[in-house]
Amino acid sequence: MTGEKVDLLVRNAAELVTVAGGSARPRRGREMAEIGLIEDGAVAVKDGRILAVGRTAGVMERVKVGESTTVIDASGKVVLPGLVDPHTHLVFAGSREYELEMKIEGVGYLEILARGGGILDTVRATRAAGREDLIAAGLKYLGEMLAQGTTTAEAKSGYGLTLADEVKMLEVVRELAQRQPVDLVPTFLGAHAVPPEYRDDPGGYVDLLVEEMLPAVVRAGLAEFCDVFCEEGVFSVEQTRRILARARDLGLKLKLHADEIVSLGGAELAVEMGATSADHLVHVSEEGIRRLARSNTVAVLLPATTFCLMGGQYAPAREMIEQGAAVALASDFNPGSSPVNSLPAVMGIACRQLKMKPAEVITAVTINAAHAIGRAAEVGSLEPGKKADLVIFDAPSYRYLMYRFGTNLVQTVIKSGKIVVGG
Ligand code: NIG
Ligand code: FE
């Protein structure tokens, strides 16, 4: 590669945070604080991939800057790998701001759902929406996410709850992936709620999921993961095990909404099933933490959800890290429990409420988040060969990002070697 001409060069970054060395398996426990920080750092890009990373002087010796090379001076700035959001409900119609008063008055999330509102309200709106409306909304949200540094995101179905409507949602995800820069990883969440038609026969809906919906979604190649909302009054541990087992047999990777509101043994189930991630975990048991720590299942924490649900208790992140679990963070962007799609906002909340240290937070939204969606070989760190996804923040240090929570400090976003935000 000596002297190879590059397309793009970012140089003289005050802090270049590579998060390198964690692509083979997620960083766990103490390793989460290792973020591969390089002062006066540079990244060279060719054909959409990273060619060289290191101190500016060293990189300059190894590459050739030609007339066609775009050179970005990142003096005084922080450069991070493009952020990865491993848990979103990106596609939905409408919004539920009217739930704010209900939550302030103390009406519980599961109570709103049991009254036929909450998720089911969004199901009504999403079923009624045309594809173009869902695509337009999705493009708007993805633009907001990209502007705040997200370059890869997971996107779930789960507001259709019929085969046709779930397929519609997943086709919208596929279309969105083609129409804008953020890479999307599709997840089938047909088991998000029991639809009104099956209110008196929830077992019948599980049969439908297992016998018809999952095979059809897999045949159409529309999903990479299967997820289930395993929760009291939604899907039981037994029903969840059955759905996940079928999904796994059909070749899907697994995720789980686990122990979000009630402690049901969701973390234990996720590990038992070999799930790629167990998400939420606010009420994870001691045993669940121990099993997560001994597994490769990534614990995906969603503190913006706890914040928006006004819950007093947050996921025990410190205990998970101290016991050696691999922790990632996500927005859980959805119209109900987390209308937040800003990962920097999630990062600020994670420091203050989960008591995660800034370096651990960086790992949690980059390489560990990439592991949580099976993309760690491609994104999540700045290493030669990986996609050239990077974010330049107008911040003097990586800690400053979390410290100045609430202000968008993104200056430039580069996706696959192309400048897609700022300049
Ligand atoms: O992850 N908990 C279940 N699903 C979402 C919320 C979806 C909604 O309220 O519309 C969550 O919090
Ligand atoms: Fe969720």
Side-chain angles (χ1 to χ4, degrees):
M1 101 159 129
T2 310
E4 218 173 314
K5 194 158 117 208
V6 296
D7 303 324
L8 181 104
L9 177 75
V10 178
R11 54 175 292 174
N12 298 110
E15 291 184 357
L16 180 80
V17 182
T18 65
V19 205
S23 302
R25 54 173 191 80
R27 285 203 193 287
R28 52 182 64 254
R30 263 189 228 154
E31 299 165 354
M32 284 189 61
E34 293 164 20
I35 55 170
L37 190 142
I38 299 172
E39 285 174 13
D40 190 11
V43 185
V45 175
K46 190 176 168 64
D47 299 330
R49 300 263 158 190
I50 295 172
L51 187 72
V53 183
R55 302 222 4 136
T56 300
V59 171
M60 295 301 289
E61 272 171 25
R62 279 146 60 201
V63 303
K64 203 158 95 200
V65 174
E67 260 174 30
S68 58
T69 306
T70 305
V71 179
I72 301 178
D73 176 9
S75 309
K77 309 276 158 56
V78 171
V79 178
L80 249 56
L83 306 181
V84 178
D85 192 342
H87 181 141
T88 85
H89 305 253
L90 169 71
V91 178
F92 58 85
S95 58
R96 306 205 317 252
E97 61 275 29
Y98 56 83
E99 282 180 9
L100 259 176
E101 269 97 347
M102 296 166 97
K103 285 176 190 146
I104 290 165
E105 282 159 13
V107 187
Y109 182 75
L110 293 177
E111 201 179 326
I112 298 174
L113 181 60
R115 287 182 191 173
I119 295 173
L120 293 176
D121 204 22
T122 302
V123 169
R124 280 187 286 276
T126 306
R127 284 179 177 177
R131 276 161 208 264
E132 282 309 319
D133 292 335
L134 292 173
I135 291 168
L139 287 173
K140 183 179 75 160
Y141 298 134
L142 284 164
E144 294 165 357
M145 290 159 72
L146 187 67
Q148 297 183 82
T150 300
T151 50
T152 302
E154 185 250 19
K156 302 177 196 294
S157 67
Y159 294 116
L161 311 185
T162 64
L163 177 58
D165 289 301
E166 288 291 302
V167 164
K168 175 174 82 173
M169 290 188 71
L170 290 167
E171 285 176 351
V172 166
V173 172
R174 193 167 60 185
E175 185 70 25
L176 287 169
Q178 283 159 8
R179 287 214 207 168
Q180 53 72 56
V182 180
D183 280 328
L184 296 177
V185 175
T187 295
F188 174 65
L189 178 58
H192 194 194
V194 175
E197 316 80 83
Y198 282 89
R199 206 191 150 98
D200 301 322
D201 180 22
Y205 185 60
V206 176
D207 291 341
L208 181 76
L209 278 165
V210 163
E211 287 159 19
E212 287 178 34
M213 292 170 75
L214 267 167
V217 164
V218 170
R219 262 197 312 276
L222 284 168
E224 205 173 304
F225 285 89
C226 176
D227 191 351
V228 177
F229 186 18
C230 179
E231 187 57 69
E232 197 169 87
V234 192
F235 294 96
S236 69
V237 168
E238 269 320 306
Q239 290 170 327
T240 304
R241 186 182 278 112
R242 187 171 161 224
I243 297 163
L244 292 183
R246 179 75 169 131
R248 191 176 59 186
D249 289 347
L250 289 165
L252 295 181
K253 291 180 276 184
L254 309 180
K255 293 186 161 286
L256 188 53
H257 280 66
D259 304 319
E260 177 182 356
I261 299 162
V262 178
S263 183
L264 289 184
E268 291 89 327
L269 179 63
V271 173
E272 171 197 321
M273 301 300 296
T276 306
S277 74
D279 301 35
H280 283 290
L281 301 170
V282 176
H283 298 279
V284 63
S285 69
E286 289 293 328
E287 183 56 24
I289 297 179
R290 267 194 293 280
R291 296 209 191 161
L292 282 169
R294 279 192 259 112
S295 75
N296 277 326
T297 301
V298 179
V300 177
L301 308 185
L302 311 160
T305 305
T306 311
F307 181 77
C308 293
L309 290 180
M310 308 180 200
Q313 187 181 333
Y314 281 77
R318 276 267 53 92
E319 211 182 319
M320 289 185 208
I321 294 172
E322 263 135 44
Q323 291 218 24
V327 172
L329 288 162
S331 69
D332 195 17
F333 178 53
N334 73 72
S337 65
S338 177
V340 175
N341 59 16
S342 159
L343 277 177
V346 172
M347 293 159 71
I349 299 173
C351 284
R352 290 162 180 93
Q353 301 289 0
L354 299 182
K355 309 284 189 283
M356 286 174 70
K357 295 178 184 149
E360 294 167 339
V361 167
I362 297 285
T363 296
V365 293
T366 55
I367 195 66
N368 278 9
H371 278 288
I373 51 172
R375 287 291 185 280
E378 278 289 282
V379 299
S381 61
L382 301 179
E383 294 179 79
K386 280 202 172 181
K387 271 195 188 181
D389 293 358
L390 30 134
V391 188
I392 304 172
F393 290 94
D394 185 9
S397 73
Y398 71 87
R399 291 183 180 87
Y400 189 91
L401 296 177
M402 285 145 265
Y403 160 71
R404 284 291 311 279
F405 148 76
T407 300
N408 186 8
L409 299 172
V410 169
Q411 177 190 291
T412 306
V413 180
I414 295 160
K415 176 70 197 173
S416 292
K418 299 250 173 325
I419 296 175
V420 288
V421 172

